[in-house]
Amino acid sequence: MIRIAIDVMGGDFGPDVAIPGAAKALERHTDVTFLLYGQKAICEPILAQFPTLRDKSQFFDCEVSVTMDEKPSQALRRGRYVSSMWRAIEAVKVGEADVVVSAGNTGALMAMAKFCLRTMARIERPAIAGIWPTTRGESIVLDVGATIGADSQQLLDFAIMGGAMARALFDIDRPTVGLLNVGVEEVKGQDEVREAGRLIREADLGTIDYRGFVEGNDIGKGTVDVVVTEGFTGNIALKTAEGTARQINTLLREAISRSFIAKIGYILAKSAFDVLREKMDPRKVNGGVFLGLNGIVIKSHGSTDALGFASAIDVGYDMAHNGLTAKIENDLKAYHARRLPPPAPEALVVDEEL
Amino acid sequence: MIRIAIDVMGGDFGPDVAIPGAAKALERHTDVTFLLYGQKAICEPILAQFPTLRDKSQFFDCEVSVTMDEKPSQALRRGRYVSSMWRAIEAVKVGEADVVVSAGNTGALMAMAKFCLRTMARIERPAIAGIWPTTRGESIVLDVGATIGADSQQLLDFAIMGGAMARALFDIDRPTVGLLNVGVEEVKGQDEVREAGRLIREADLGTIDYRGFVEGNDIGKGTVDVVVTEGFTGNIALKTAEGTARQINTLLREAISRSFIAKIGYILAKSAFDVLREKMDPRKVNGGVFLGLNGIVIKSHGSTDALGFASAIDVGYDMAHNGLTAKIENDLKAYHARRLPPPAPEALVVDEEL
């Protein structure tokens, strides 16, 4: 049984999306129970419309809700211990839930998750991993906005964590991993990325198949299963891709609306457009995964609908079901065990005698 | 009369694309003459097929050609003074040409352009500006790969130079400018971008209308005329957008090919697809502009065809015709004049008497 904690108040639409979303996810997974955190007076009438969900969940009344425009520090001050967001995260910490899902404010969610769950041993900064639709299927891109300006060691951590997530999500043994870089040779300033490439190669990790540098256009091609970059570039790449998809959609619509024949053509070709839309549907790949914390946190897009929220729950289900946290811990441990052998006890004794 | 120097040997296809491309551009601009730099034995038979172009151009035989995979340092050693690339750039330096266009190796072209033309006063590092198709029309994005990790002062220089280019290209008085950033509040590490925002606001430039931060999805929307970012992020955003457009194209083709009805629909809607393709055609917006040098250098995509190469020449024509270099120089001078008032001559005299 997978136990999923939901911050029902998070996101642009709060319980209007989170509750129907959870109900949808429940249709797909019968081995799930929910812990719902929200304002009872608002949530109860909505929950009453989904009796199956109500029967499979416990509701916890929380007076405070973190708003979408609150600064992380402000959200922490106001919402620590008492908000629906905090209490949903805490359920994972105390072992009552296996994963938490929230469509709330990203900065506040990350701040609370770090404060409550803490980062894993030897992980300085967590990352947010996004699932990216590609020509081949799906890839993982991290970090998409948690750590601006990661150094080479952090990029290596991302490669290990992203590899573990790919094994949990795609059911492959040794996912391919690439470091996002620019193609121009001999350009100054990409030292971190080059150094990270050297570190990953030298680490010779058994859990990933490192393929070297990839460029921006490789993401959509699906050249590798996991694309590693620091958060500033990753966030901008993600939003640029979303913007380009929307732009093409807008331009095509405008062009079709200008011609009667084209409109008829569009209707006939609709099945093909539906396939495309389904493959590129941001709701289908909704769910950023926070990596590097002692617990699984899934961030749903704030403006998504019930279908999108259900996808975020699906991601959380997969991650919990496939033991993401243990996979990451083991992979990190294996790397560090080989890298930093403990000093031999004899040497210590000699030192003490001096 | 605009005089355009062409590195005929540059690019994946050299004279097979550069010569027909120049001929196409000549059809659109009657007030143009060309200075063609290349290997005579290879170019002469191709040039013979375009008598109008041959009559409007001078040919300069160059034995050395820079290859596409040569490192910049290697290209400089082997090709300085003698290669078609160098000599085409030099024509701008000595005032024989108004602009140079090359489809050659980007790193080598930038290295040679910097070495030969030198950067403008008070510009430390040049930028490459790309022209980006948007829902509204076109925007300029810089830097797309010349300066990795620009500091806040360099980002301000980019804003000034991008503004001057927008005035030259779009014929608007005071282009809108945005700084590319991530939306998450209170994230560490974006200090350069924030500081640049402060600098640009304080500079209160009369030549641009600064609109603050924009995000990745704003580029395709055309939220601002000029998007400023450092070269690593800019290059990855550009290639990610290209990759996404190609991915949508591939997925749609696959979906259409699977259904007979959809194929018919596609044929009927073809006019709309043609409009879209034209708007998103990378050949139509071909031509990266090197900014911050004492002369105009246009980099065409290496793998483009004659139509694409002609577009790069068009960009060069517009930049020369509208006095890009003078516009940038004036704008930089105006900014620095207000920022660093020269010491009064009296003060200097006093100092000398001490």
Side-chain angles (χ1 to χ4, degrees):
Chain A
M1 195 62 83
I2 303 289
R3 302 154 307 162
I4 300 177
I6 308 272
D7 165 22
V8 179
M9 306 308 289
D12 297 346
F13 311 107
D16 288 328
V17 154
I19 291 175
K24 249 185 226 303
L26 191 57
E27 290 167 18
R28 293 197 278 254
H29 309 287
T30 48
D31 58 338
V32 159
T33 56
F34 287 100
L35 292 84
L36 306 177
Y37 295 83
Q39 276 181 264
K40 201 170 182 180
I42 302 176
C43 297
E44 219 161 38
I46 305 171
L47 194 54
Q49 299 167 40
F50 301 92
T52 319
L53 173 65
R54 200 185 43 194
D55 294 349
K56 290 270 236 168
S57 58
Q58 274 181 280
F59 192 89
F60 302 88
D61 189 16
C62 310
E63 266 178 50
V64 179
S65 308
V66 171
T67 62
M68 292 306 274
D69 54 359
E70 226 162 347
K71 287 194 176 175
S73 50
Q74 194 183 343
L76 259 180
R77 258 196 317 275
R78 213 173 57 81
R80 200 188 314 169
Y81 311 127
V82 292
S83 64
S84 59
M85 187 184 273
W86 176 277
R87 289 185 60 195
I89 297 169
E90 208 176 23
V92 172
K93 188 192 174 169
V94 299
E96 283 168 10
D98 301 301
V99 51
V100 49
V101 182
S102 172
N105 171 340
T106 309
L109 186 65
M110 179 54 91
M112 286 198 180
K114 270 162 81 171
F115 200 95
C116 181
L117 299 173
R118 302 282 163 189
T119 51
M120 287 176 173
R122 286 189 175 128
I123 292 290
E124 235 177 284
R125 294 160 94 187
I128 303 176
I131 303 167
W132 195 296
T134 72
T135 315
R136 281 198 319 130
E138 284 171 1
S139 293
I140 291 167
V141 179
L142 77 164
D143 172 37
V144 295
T147 65
I148 306 302
D151 65 23
S152 53
Q153 181 63 46
Q154 283 160 352
L155 291 171
L156 181 142
D157 291 341
F158 293 176
I160 294 175
M161 298 196 297
M165 177 171 159
R167 273 156 48 226
L169 193 69
F170 304 139
D171 196 26
I172 37 179
D173 273 351
R174 210 164 163 236
T176 54
V177 175
L179 264 175
L180 197 57
N181 201 352
V182 296
V184 190
E185 283 284 332
E186 289 186 30
V187 176
K188 276 184 200 173
Q190 42 179 331
D191 305 347
E192 291 301 340
V193 179
R194 285 209 185 147
E195 172 67 8
R198 201 185 55 76
L199 285 181
I200 298 173
R201 223 176 264 290
E202 280 178 13
D204 193 22
L205 303 159
T207 53
I208 63 165
D209 177 8
Y210 177 61
R211 294 287 178 90
F213 298 139
V214 294
E215 295 195 49
N217 51 332
D218 287 306
I219 312 178
K221 268 192 219 162
T223 306
V224 287
D225 298 314
V226 181
V227 176
V228 171
T229 187
E230 59 82 37
F232 188 85
T233 306
N235 185 280
I236 281 167
L238 180 70
K239 294 211 170 134
T240 301
E242 285 172 1
T244 305
R246 204 169 304 128
Q247 175 188 356
I248 291 174
N249 192 30
T250 305
L251 290 173
L252 188 60
R253 247 173 227 241
E254 277 175 19
I256 285 169
S257 71
R258 277 200 213 102
S259 144
F260 179 70
I261 303 280
K263 265 183 220 166
I264 294 181
Y266 175 76
I267 292 165
L268 292 177
K270 209 179 159 299
S271 68
F273 282 103
D274 289 347
V275 169
L276 175 69
R277 201 164 289 129
E278 166 131 0
K279 284 199 176 169
M280 297 293 289
D281 189 347
R283 297 176 307 175
K284 291 264 166 173
V285 289
N286 184 29
V289 182
F290 289 9
L291 298 178
L293 299 168
N294 296 304
I296 308 170
V297 180
I298 310 293
K299 165 70 175 89
S300 159
H301 216 290
S303 62
T304 197
D305 60 11
L307 184 63
F309 197 78
S311 297
I313 295 176
D314 286 348
V315 172
Y317 175 89
D318 281 349
M319 294 299 103
H321 190 73
N322 296 316
L324 174 67
T325 310
K327 275 197 171 67
I328 296 179
E329 271 171 357
N330 288 340
D331 292 359
L332 286 171
K333 213 174 279 172
Y335 163 66
H336 285 290
R338 281 168 54 193
R339 187 172 160 241
L340 301 168
E346 294 80 1
L348 288 174
V349 173
V350 172
D351 274 339
E352 276 172 359
E353 286 177 354
L354 287 176
Chain B
M1 195 61 85
I2 303 288
R3 303 154 306 163
I4 301 177
I6 307 271
D7 164 22
V8 179
M9 306 308 288
D12 297 345
F13 311 108
D16 289 328
V17 155
I19 291 175
K24 249 184 226 302
L26 192 58
E27 289 167 18
R28 295 197 277 255
H29 310 287
T30 48
D31 59 337
V32 159
T33 57
F34 288 100
L35 293 83
L36 306 177
Y37 295 83
Q39 276 181 263
K40 200 170 182 179
I42 301 175
C43 298
E44 219 162 37
I46 305 170
L47 194 54
Q49 299 167 40
F50 300 92
T52 319
L53 173 66
R54 199 185 43 196
D55 294 348
K56 289 271 235 166
S57 58
Q58 274 181 280
F59 191 90
F60 301 90
D61 189 16
C62 310
E63 267 178 49
V64 178
S65 308
V66 172
T67 62
M68 291 307 272
D69 54 359
E70 226 163 346
K71 289 193 174 177
S73 50
Q74 194 184 345
L76 259 179
R77 257 195 318 276
R78 213 174 58 82
R80 199 188 313 170
Y81 311 126
V82 292
S83 63
S84 59
M85 186 184 274
W86 176 277
R87 290 185 61 195
I89 297 169
E90 206 176 26
V92 172
K93 188 192 176 170
V94 299
E96 284 169 10
D98 301 301
V99 53
V100 49
V101 181
S102 172
N105 172 341
T106 310
L109 186 64
M110 180 53 92
M112 286 198 181
K114 271 163 80 171
F115 201 95
C116 181
L117 298 173
R118 303 280 161 190
T119 50
M120 288 177 174
R122 286 190 175 129
I123 291 289
E124 235 178 284
R125 295 160 92 187
I128 304 176
I131 303 166
W132 195 295
T134 72
T135 315
R136 282 199 318 129
E138 283 172 1
S139 294
I140 291 167
V141 179
L142 76 162
D143 173 39
V144 294
T147 65
I148 306 301
D151 65 23
S152 52
Q153 182 63 45
Q154 283 161 352
L155 290 172
L156 182 142
D157 291 341
F158 293 176
I160 295 174
M161 297 195 298
M165 176 171 158
R167 274 153 51 225
L169 193 68
F170 305 138
D171 196 27
I172 38 179
D173 274 349
R174 210 165 164 237
T176 54
V177 174
L179 262 176
L180 197 57
N181 201 351
V182 296
V184 189
E185 283 283 331
E186 290 187 30
V187 176
K188 278 184 198 170
Q190 41 180 330
D191 305 347
E192 291 302 341
V193 179
R194 285 206 185 151
E195 173 68 9
R198 200 185 55 75
L199 286 181
I200 298 173
R201 224 176 263 291
E202 280 178 12
D204 193 23
L205 303 159
T207 54
I208 62 165
D209 177 7
Y210 177 60
R211 294 287 178 90
F213 298 139
V214 294
E215 295 195 49
N217 50 332
D218 287 305
I219 311 177
K221 268 192 218 160
T223 306
V224 288
D225 298 315
V226 181
V227 176
V228 171
T229 186
E230 59 80 39
F232 188 84
T233 306
N235 185 280
I236 282 168
L238 181 69
K239 293 211 170 136
T240 301
E242 285 172 1
T244 305
R246 204 168 305 130
Q247 175 189 356
I248 291 173
N249 192 29
T250 305
L251 291 173
L252 187 60
R253 245 173 227 241
E254 277 175 17
I256 285 169
S257 71
R258 276 199 215 103
S259 143
F260 179 68
I261 302 278
K263 265 184 221 164
I264 294 181
Y266 174 77
I267 292 164
L268 292 177
K270 205 176 162 300
S271 68
F273 282 103
D274 290 345
V275 170
L276 174 69
R277 199 164 290 130
E278 166 131 1
K279 283 198 179 171
M280 297 295 289
D281 189 348
R283 296 175 307 174
K284 290 264 165 174
V285 288
N286 184 28
V289 182
F290 290 8
L291 298 178
L293 300 167
N294 296 304
I296 308 172
V297 181
I298 309 292
K299 164 71 174 87
S300 160
H301 215 291
S303 62
T304 197
D305 60 11
L307 185 62
F309 196 79
S311 296
I313 295 175
D314 286 349
V315 172
Y317 175 89
D318 281 349
M319 294 300 101
H321 190 74
N322 296 315
L324 174 66
T325 309
K327 275 196 171 67
I328 295 179
E329 272 171 356
N330 289 339
D331 292 359
L332 285 171
K333 213 176 278 173
Y335 162 66
H336 285 289
R338 282 168 53 191
R339 187 171 161 242
L340 302 166
E346 294 81 1
L348 288 173
V349 172
V350 171
D351 274 338
E352 276 172 0
E353 284 177 353
L354 285 174

